[in-house]
Amino acid sequence: MSQSSEVATGPRSGLYTRLCSNWLFPLQERLKGHDSVALRRRLEASQWWSAEALAEQQAHRLRDFLLSIGQRVPYYQQLFAQAAFEPRGLQSVRDLQALPLLDKRSIRAHSAQMLAHGHGPLARYSTGGSSGEPLVFWIGKARKSHDVAAKWRATRWWGVDIGDPELVVWGSPIELRAQDRLKRLRDGLLRSHLLPAFGVSEATLDHFIASIQRRRPAMLFGYPSSLAQIAGRARQRSVDLSGLGIRVVFVTGELLYAAQRVLLQEVFGCPVANGYGARDAGFIAHECPAGSLHVCAEDIVLEVLRADGQPAAPGELGELVVTHLGTADFPFLRYRTGDMGALSPYACACGRGLPVLADVQGKSNHFVVAENGAVLPASALTYILRDMPQLVQYQIHQRARDHTVVRLVADTLDAHSHSRIVRDFQARLGAGVQIEVQRVEQIEVVPSGKHRFVLSELDAFAAPGGEARHA
Ligand SMILES: [Zn+2]
């Protein structure tokens, strides 16, 4: 692969990019009280350590983290006492099994007791509006620095750096609210430009395409569905964006489908780098040029747990549970992401010792209800569609127990595929369920700009899905 040999030498950056990466951005980080510059340098060294050395450092940091929160966080003082858990005795990540999992509900219930005594300045965050489980939490400077450093490291894996012209297609209301004058000035200096991913009309997509042509960014960043819509529109209009010099497309926030990856690669003429993380759980894993999703193991302890709570074997699917070691001010300890995934048994060809996430399958707490009342994970249906190579996007909309609409954005949909979808959906939901397959131009996004893969109007969804899973 020519790309990997190219980026192995580090970012090919111009003078202005070096100014940003070496001076402007570090200065901003210092003013914010972040030590992300030093952290990034450390991460760029430790990524080449052996898996064993990384695991040893992780266990060491985990012990320090647990000692800190056991002393400073009332919720964990109490919990450790109840469980007779002694952080000092921790030998490996497996010892975390003695502690309960943390979900959004427990954070909501104990938010005040989860703040550490003597914590530094904290920023308030909220998330989950689109998943129906809102969450308010706090982020301290240590965590912010670690997240910035981890994202920065992964950016540089691809031969680009902070300061290279970037176009961001994003719709999070938080990002938009933060668009005050100072942030616009900073983004302007760092050559990062935001296109709000709200409207999905053809006019908006054409405006996005014109922006990309005019600005000739070195990198694109956004939801896979938003960027795929832009790419699909460019292809439809035969607009060539492959020669603009875009070096990489970073996608995150949703599952990336194989067809989306191919579309983005072809239209923008560059590789696609997938990222997995969330505002609450943190920056968990990022794809390297050799194609592996590397877990940011220096800061993130990732457990993959089977339904019985036991650790899954390498390659075995389970729920992804995260401990973020930079969160001692407001701990995320064994936090349930609600996503399903598996760790790879194999090391990556790039030589980094960071663990590899083999598979991320999205929210486990999306359910559908079969004709007979059985509650099924939405993946029972999404699997059927994910095999279709021509599919760019889809949405499954359960309107009633006996009526489900399947909306597809696809280049083609032949009669064979159509009848296969109906047959496979009925096999899972019930033979009497009407399966209405619609080929559509686009799929509406929720107000945050995020794409919902599964919608249901059934009562079973009124309760938060995370709990239903254990019913
Ligand atoms: Zn790799």
Side-chain angles (χ1 to χ4, degrees):
M1 266 178 53
S2 63
Q3 272 96 15
S4 48
S5 57
E6 211 169 276
V7 295
T9 56
R12 299 173 299 165
S13 34
L15 187 64
Y16 189 80
T17 298
R18 288 206 299 278
L19 174 74
C20 291
S21 178
N22 296 332
W23 295 98
L24 279 177
F25 187 70
L27 175 67
Q28 177 217 275
E29 286 293 286
R30 270 213 0 235
L31 291 175
K32 284 184 169 181
H34 297 168
D35 51 357
S36 48
V37 177
L39 284 172
R40 191 210 81 212
R41 292 212 182 94
R42 246 183 278 161
L43 293 179
E44 288 190 333
S46 57
Q47 64 185 339
W48 303 110
W49 295 1
S50 69
E52 294 73 25
L54 280 162
E56 196 178 310
Q57 185 211 36
Q58 192 186 56
H60 183 78
R61 285 202 61 201
L62 178 61
R63 202 158 42 230
D64 287 349
F65 172 76
L66 294 169
L67 279 167
S68 167
I69 69 173
Q71 286 160 5
R72 296 170 52 226
V73 179
Y75 177 76
Y76 283 106
Q77 276 172 341
Q78 207 179 355
L79 199 144
F80 289 1
Q82 276 166 5
F85 179 79
E86 178 45 68
R88 219 172 289 275
L90 182 114
Q91 298 288 325
S92 81
V93 170
R94 283 189 85 101
D95 296 342
L96 284 177
Q97 287 275 316
L99 296 171
L101 299 176
L102 179 70
D103 58 17
K104 290 188 170 73
R105 179 174 286 190
S106 3
I107 295 179
R108 271 198 299 271
H110 306 286
S111 187
Q113 298 112 282
M114 291 186 71
L115 277 172
H117 292 307
H119 62 75
L122 295 170
R124 182 182 183 275
Y125 281 80
S126 59
T127 183
S130 62
S131 72
E133 276 202 274
L135 179 71
V136 172
F137 58 98
W138 299 89
I139 286 188
K141 291 198 185 297
R143 164 163 182 186
K144 193 80 192 172
S145 306
H146 281 273
D147 287 353
V148 169
K151 180 168 186 263
W152 195 359
R153 166 174 74 175
T155 301
R156 287 163 56 94
W157 288 348
W158 292 87
V160 287
D161 205 340
I162 288 173
D164 279 321
E166 176 187 44
L167 262 185
V168 177
V169 183
W170 204 249
S172 161
I174 291 170
E175 305 293 343
L176 290 185
R177 237 181 285 130
Q179 285 289 302
D180 52 23
R181 279 171 56 203
L182 193 65
K183 186 165 187 300
R184 272 214 299 276
L185 175 69
R186 187 204 73 181
D187 286 351
L189 282 173
L190 298 176
R191 301 196 290 189
S192 175
H193 182 77
L194 178 78
L195 300 172
F198 282 113
V200 285
S201 69
E202 287 187 348
T204 313
L205 293 174
D206 290 343
H207 163 70
F208 285 180
I209 290 168
S211 286
I212 294 169
Q213 286 177 305
R214 195 173 61 246
R215 293 180 178 271
R216 305 176 76 94
M219 49 187 159
L220 297 174
F221 179 97
Y223 297 124
S225 60
S226 308
L227 291 166
Q229 273 176 330
I230 297 172
R233 175 69 178 161
R235 172 168 284 178
Q236 186 190 26
R237 287 178 45 211
S238 305
V239 179
D240 183 9
L241 301 175
S242 67
L244 296 177
I246 302 171
R247 282 183 249 161
V248 57
V249 178
F250 293 112
V251 295
T252 190
E254 298 168 349
L255 291 181
L256 168 69
Y257 291 93
Q260 289 175 327
R261 185 190 286 272
V262 171
L263 176 70
L264 294 172
Q265 277 169 349
E266 287 176 359
V267 169
F268 297 116
C270 67
V272 174
N274 195 11
Y276 168 59
R279 201 175 281 284
D280 47 356
F283 187 90
I284 298 171
H286 206 279
E287 187 172 348
C288 77
S292 300
L293 263 181
H294 284 288
V295 179
C296 187
E298 294 95 337
D299 295 322
I300 299 275
V301 178
L302 181 69
E303 296 175 84
V304 183
L305 300 180
R306 302 190 325 203
D308 62 6
Q310 290 301 306
E316 186 186 4
L317 205 62
E319 183 176 346
L320 302 177
V321 169
V322 161
T323 298
H324 191 314
L325 300 174
T327 62
D329 283 342
F330 189 90
F332 279 76
L333 169 57
R334 306 202 83 203
Y335 178 67
R336 301 182 62 173
T337 64
D339 292 326
M340 304 293 281
L343 277 170
S344 170
Y346 308 109
C348 179
C350 75
R352 292 179 180 86
L354 302 169
V356 174
L357 196 50
D359 197 9
V360 183
Q361 302 208 347
K363 293 297 173 199
S364 61
N365 59 357
H366 287 166
F367 287 82
V368 290
V369 183
E371 196 179 15
N372 64 7
V375 177
L376 306 173
S379 59
L381 301 178
T382 58
Y383 271 120
I384 300 169
L385 301 174
R386 287 180 62 189
D387 287 343
M388 294 174 57
Q390 71 272 43
L391 195 63
V392 175
Q393 225 181 40
Y394 68 77
Q395 185 175 60
I396 298 165
H397 186 174
Q398 191 162 41
R399 302 198 66 113
R401 184 99 50 101
D402 61 357
H403 182 200
T404 286
V405 180
V406 185
R407 299 188 182 96
L408 305 173
V409 180
D411 294 338
T412 56
L413 184 70
D414 56 30
H416 173 74
S417 303
H418 187 286
S419 56
R420 189 182 70 91
I421 292 170
V422 172
R423 187 194 64 213
D424 291 352
F425 269 65
Q426 284 177 338
R428 285 162 179 79
L429 291 176
V433 178
Q434 183 202 349
I435 307 294
E436 189 183 336
V437 181
Q438 300 176 345
R439 211 177 129 205
V440 295
E441 289 295 317
Q442 66 193 39
I443 284 164
E444 298 297 322
V445 294
V446 295
S448 73
K450 202 162 174 168
H451 174 58
R452 290 284 308 266
F453 295 97
V454 180
L455 293 173
S456 179
E457 290 165 20
L458 297 184
D459 284 345
F461 287 75
E467 279 72 37
R469 188 161 171 263
H470 296 282

